[in-house]
């Protein structure tokens, strides 16, 4: 079986890349990565690769792809990634389209209006493939903020860096999640400031850093306990990071998301014997 994955990496998510790497650990499934800047035409690429499935974002559907699928009776099936932040009207338009009806076999989506096909909600996880970029010395504190200016009360260490994967005027290190993921291991502690949900950078930091917290958003408490077994609010002084790390390794690595995705496809379930060895 062959899956062609079109890159849909964003500043806070490398899901397409980590799925590609995870799937390629299994000899029965071949995953190929379709770069956004590829000079090869859609027709030439698909004729050459001849995938069984194409995993692609709804934002990357082109007229060339639609035409190719319509003109080829043995065309690949589409696994459609629908971004969580896509407006309702856009999701409805895609869901009701002929393209969706004729070619989509599975949606990666959290939108509840997807009813024509099965859907799977792949939540963020740690991208364990990101290599570390070591500093000469450890830094006591890293603050990852999504605000324009980080909360002054969090600047509690003599030495700290402010990082951001969103626009932030005072960020010492403005960078994507892939770039920040190279740096987290250089910090003793990381605090996420101003977040309203747990995106991939939080999982990446937990994988790399001894202690990771979020600041003062009490509404995240229930979700945090559900995800990690502990409330990682900076004001919580009773946190067992051994439990947190064990939960992360058990439930929130690329192999978990890959198994969740493949389980929704009509493929040989014996593949999961191999998958389970890696989880």
């Amino acid at each position: 079986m062959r899956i062609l994955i079109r890159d849909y990496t964003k500043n806070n998510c490398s899901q397409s890349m980590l799925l590609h790497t995870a799937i390629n650990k299994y000899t029965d499934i071949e995953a190929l990565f379709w770069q956004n800047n590829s000079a090869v035409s859609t027709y030439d690429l698909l004729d050459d690769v001849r995938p069984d499935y194409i995993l692609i974002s709804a934002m990357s559907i082109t007229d060339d792809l639609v035409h190719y699928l319509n003109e080829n009776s043995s065309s690949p099936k589409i696994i459609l990634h629908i971004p969580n932040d896509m407006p309702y009207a856009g999701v409805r338009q895609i869901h009701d389209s002929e393209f969706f009806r004729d070619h989509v076999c599975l949606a990666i989506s959290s939108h509840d209006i997807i009813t024509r096909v099965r859907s799977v909600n792949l939540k963020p996880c740690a991208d364990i493939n990101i290599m570390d970029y070591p500093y000469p010395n450890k830094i006591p504190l890293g603050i990852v903020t999504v605000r324009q200016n980080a909360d002054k009360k969090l600047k509690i260490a003599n030495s700290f860096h402010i990082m951001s994967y969103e626009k932030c005027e005072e960020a010492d290190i403005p960078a994507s999640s892939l770039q920040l993921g190279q740096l987290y291991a250089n910090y003793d502690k990381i605090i996420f400031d101003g977040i309203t949900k747990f995106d991939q950078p939080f999982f990446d930091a937990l994988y790399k850093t001894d202690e990771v917290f979020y600041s003062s958003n009490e509404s995240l408490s229930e979700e945090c306990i559900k995800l990690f077994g502990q409330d990682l609010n900076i004001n919580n002084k009773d946190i067992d990071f051994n439990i947190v790390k064990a939960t992360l390794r058990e439930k929130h690595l690329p192999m978990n998301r890959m198994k969740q995705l493949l389980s929704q496809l009509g493929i040989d379930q014996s593949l999961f014997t191999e998958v389970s060895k890696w989880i």
Side-chain angles (χ1 to χ4, degrees), residues 159-179:
S159 178
F160 63 87
H161 289 154
I162 296 176
M163 299 173 275
S164 184
Y165 51 90
E166 302 288 357
K167 291 182 180 180
C168 174
E169 294 178 355
E170 65 171 344
D172 303 304
I173 308 173
S176 69
S177 62
L178 281 172
Q179 295 166 319

Side-chain angles (χ1 to χ4, degrees), residues 51-71:
D52 300 289
Y53 296 92
I54 300 174
L55 196 171
I56 189 169
S57 170
M59 309 301 292
S60 299
I61 302 301
T62 63
D63 291 341
D64 283 349
L65 176 61
V66 174
H67 188 267
Y68 182 93
L69 296 175
N70 288 338
E71 294 299 312

Side-chain angles (χ1 to χ4, degrees), residues 211-214 221 224-225 228-244:
E211 296 184 353
V212 178
F213 304 90
Y214 69 92
S221 176
C224 193
I225 294 171
F228 307 115
Q230 304 271 295
D231 184 4
L232 303 181
N233 190 295
I234 189 64
N235 296 318
N236 184 6
K237 306 303 180 185
D238 187 25
I239 298 174
D240 186 341
F241 276 98
N242 290 324
I243 293 177
V244 174

Side-chain angles (χ1 to χ4, degrees), residues 3-57:
I3 299 177
L4 179 62
I5 301 176
R6 179 69 183 264
D7 187 11
Y8 54 86
T9 302
K10 297 171 60 178
N11 65 320
N12 65 347
C13 175
S14 59
Q15 185 182 85
S16 56
M17 298 177 69
L18 63 86
L19 286 174
H20 166 257
T21 302
I23 291 171
N24 270 330
K25 289 184 180 292
Y26 308 99
T27 57
D28 290 347
I29 302 176
E30 182 182 7
L32 300 99
F33 202 66
W34 184 357
Q35 297 277 6
N36 286 326
N37 59 357
S38 174
V40 181
S41 73
T42 299
Y43 283 79
D44 289 342
L45 178 66
L46 296 182
D47 279 343
D48 181 49
V49 173
R50 296 197 175 277
D52 300 289
Y53 296 92
I54 300 174
L55 196 171
I56 189 169
S57 170

Side-chain angles (χ1 to χ4, degrees), residues 37 67 77 96 108 161 180 189 197 205 239 274 277:
N37 59 357
H67 188 267
K77 299 175 183 177
D96 294 345
I108 299 176
H161 289 154
L180 293 181
K189 177 192 297 184
K197 59 185 185 303
I239 298 174
E274 295 298 317
K277 293 177 181 179

